[in-house]
Amino acid sequence: MNTHGKCIKIFAGNSNPDLAKEIARYVGVPLGNAKVSRFSDGEISVDIHETVRGCDVFVIQSTCSPVNTNLMELLILIDAFKRASAREITAVIPYYGYARQDRKVKARDPITAKLVADLITEAGADRVLTMDLHAAQIQGFFDIPVDNLFSMPILAKDYIDRGFVGEDLVVVSPDLGSVTRARNFAHKLNAPLAIIDKRRPRANVAEVMNIIGDVKGKRAILIDDIIDTAGTIRQGAIALVERGGAREVYTCAAHGVLSGPAIEHITDSPIKEMVLTNTVPFPSEKQTDRIRVLSVASLFAEAIQRIYESLPISSLFD
């Protein structure tokens, strides 16, 4: 694609090749010819087999597991494109790893989300395009523009198309921190809101306390941004059924990290269905008929085209 003497090129690391191919197809350009491999000692080797001089380069790479490998691939790719005289480099990070380390919870904690932002900027990225950042303030950790897309319109449309609207429905926030997200989602589905008030004794262990709001006899949709070990969402689902008397429990989230015992937690819970997006690749060994995956490729493609053509992308946030 070449307009006004400009050119656009899309490259990808190894973290989410299927999503990268799909985005490139929507944009209407082939995926760039680059090879990201390993030297025998484990160091990352990057070979770019086409010119990028004067081009706008978009590097698609989720910093999901193995997070440190994927992060290093991204940084080395950015550095390679910068040294190859790319005009502008956009780091397209559908899932931004380390985002949960966004503040000091206790003494001597690192703020790794800020460190990662510095690394990406220092490597030579001119802007960042991401989705559903765990904490909105991470945008302020960067000294370059950050566009944070939302999966909510895609998730909401899926539920609306399948008849999930109205009064027999309730949208549930799994904790107090996710209330704004849940409220916006409830508004889209024209449904009431409930909140699970939980206390967390230690990392990755959630303890459910009270359900605020009426869920009795209703279809409940638990919405979160990240489902990691699925422990929190499982406990939330159990509480909704056992304490709240919910009729059915559904869950949805932007990022299906699904680490450790996640699949067992989902299968061993009252969750009828979980809807995720493909910001994190979904390996075949994790596939179960309870999980439904929606693609965010068209939304990223639209954002990439607008960034390339210097058009506003704010309308994509609705």
Side-chain angles (χ1 to χ4, degrees):
M1 193 189 285
N2 198 321
T3 52
H4 328 299
K6 281 167 58 177
C7 80
I8 179 172
K9 297 210 171 179
I10 296 176
F11 290 88
N14 292 320
S15 76
N16 203 338
D18 293 342
L19 177 60
K21 284 180 200 135
E22 206 185 332
I23 291 171
R25 198 167 64 242
Y26 273 111
V27 174
V29 298
L31 202 54
N33 186 358
K35 184 167 181 246
V36 182
S37 54
R38 301 280 169 281
F39 290 109
S40 67
D41 65 352
E43 287 182 9
I44 291 164
S45 157
V46 165
D47 291 299
I48 295 156
H49 299 298
E50 59 183 88
T51 180
V52 295
R53 185 176 293 273
C55 290
D56 287 5
V57 171
F58 293 83
V59 190
I60 300 169
Q61 180 84 329
S62 277
T63 49
C64 50
S65 176
V67 56
N68 299 329
T69 301
N70 286 333
L71 178 58
M72 277 309 291
E73 282 188 9
L74 174 65
L75 298 174
I76 294 168
L77 279 163
I78 292 168
D79 184 73
F81 292 126
K82 182 178 72 172
R83 293 173 190 279
S85 305
R87 195 182 79 91
E88 188 168 88
I89 301 161
T90 302
V92 182
I93 312 171
Y95 170 69
Y96 184 90
Y98 284 112
R100 286 172 282 181
Q101 299 186 39
D102 61 315
R103 63 199 188 285
K104 286 180 72 163
V105 178
K106 58 184 194 304
R108 297 175 294 281
D109 270 358
I111 303 181
T112 318
K114 165 69 173 142
L115 173 63
V116 170
D118 290 344
L119 290 169
I120 290 166
T121 310
E122 193 56 40
D126 294 291
R127 65 188 307 134
V128 168
L129 176 63
T130 186
M131 177 169 267
D132 285 296
L133 277 175
H134 181 63
Q137 71 265 20
I138 293 171
Q139 286 178 286
F141 293 178
F142 286 88
D143 293 326
I144 54 177
V146 176
D147 293 308
N148 182 28
L149 299 173
F150 298 110
S151 62
M152 188 179 296
I154 293 170
L155 294 168
K157 183 180 184 306
D158 179 64
Y159 280 111
I160 292 164
D161 288 351
R162 296 188 291 144
F164 284 79
V165 281
E167 280 307 307
D168 81 319
L169 201 64
V170 60
V171 172
V172 185
S173 172
D175 52 44
L176 294 168
S178 307
V179 171
T180 309
R181 182 183 304 111
R183 188 187 292 121
N184 294 340
F185 196 66
H187 178 67
K188 283 197 184 303
L189 297 186
N190 194 20
L193 177 70
I195 301 161
I196 295 173
D197 174 33
K198 65 165 200 235
R199 318 266 160 91
R200 191 187 280 276
R202 58 184 190 278
N204 285 7
V205 178
E207 187 183 356
V208 174
M209 305 301 283
N210 307 308
I211 294 163
I212 305 163
D214 178 27
V215 300
K216 195 170 176 58
K218 297 191 178 190
R219 295 188 292 172
I221 302 178
L222 264 166
I223 178 165
D224 214 341
D225 62 328
I226 299 170
I227 292 179
D228 188 351
T229 62
T232 306
I233 221 94
R234 176 178 172 268
Q235 281 185 297
I238 291 169
L240 286 171
V241 173
E242 291 180 1
R243 298 186 191 195
R247 188 170 93 234
E248 291 175 340
V249 180
Y250 298 82
T251 64
C252 67
H255 310 299
V257 174
L258 304 182
S259 69
I263 298 300
E264 293 89 276
H265 280 159
I266 294 161
T267 16
D268 177 34
S269 80
I271 294 168
K272 197 163 178 192
E273 177 199 66
M274 179 178 283
V275 180
L276 302 167
T277 79
N278 60 346
T279 57
V280 176
F282 191 55
S284 52
E285 67 270 12
K286 287 184 181 175
Q287 275 165 16
T288 141
D289 52 7
R290 288 211 206 176
I291 296 178
R292 175 185 173 90
V293 181
L294 306 177
S295 179
V296 291
S298 60
L299 186 59
F300 272 100
E302 178 72 18
I304 285 169
Q305 280 172 311
R306 290 187 184 198
I307 289 167
Y308 173 63
E309 289 162 15
S310 302
L311 296 169
I313 72 167
S314 53
S315 63
L316 298 181
F317 298 150
D318 300 333

